[in-house]
Amino acid sequence: MKHANGAALDRLEDLLSAIRTLPDLKERTRGVFYRRSKSFLHFHDDTTGLFADVRRGGEFERFRVTSAAERAAFLEAVRAELIG
């Protein structure tokens, strides 16, 4: 599964905008977020849809983020991970 390119990230701009408002994250390159000095969140594009990998409990967990409902659930999981 390849990392999301600019066109794929364009389709996720609403989600990226919401992530940018969350605390403790720094977007080092478009769509790649770090928390402190560790990679925390990035996106993939696949023939089956768009996916996000987020670090939860020290391991990356993959979420499908193709639909609006999937994006909303993903954003809640990210918020929960950041808040603890």
Side-chain angles (χ1 to χ4, degrees):
M1 188 174 291
K2 66 180 181 168
H3 283 267
N5 62 21
L9 293 173
D10 287 346
R11 297 189 336 244
L12 294 172
E13 189 55 44
D14 60 329
L15 179 59
L16 293 173
S17 293
I19 292 168
R20 290 177 183 127
T21 68
L22 298 174
D24 300 325
L25 295 181
K26 179 176 173 120
E27 189 175 19
R28 292 209 177 158
T29 59
R30 186 174 181 219
V32 179
F33 294 85
Y34 279 70
R35 185 177 186 194
R36 299 181 191 103
S37 63
K38 287 189 173 185
S39 175
F40 179 74
L41 167 62
H42 59 271
F43 295 90
H44 294 275
D45 187 11
D46 185 65
T47 57
T48 61
L50 297 169
F51 296 85
D53 288 349
V54 64
R55 188 181 300 272
R56 296 180 77 191
E59 301 281 331
F60 278 101
E61 184 176 337
R62 182 157 290 164
F63 290 81
R64 185 178 168 92
V65 292
T66 303
S67 72
E70 291 165 341
R71 291 177 192 162
F74 168 73
L75 194 55
E76 285 306 310
V78 171
R79 282 189 181 116
E81 184 64 27
L82 291 172
I83 294 169

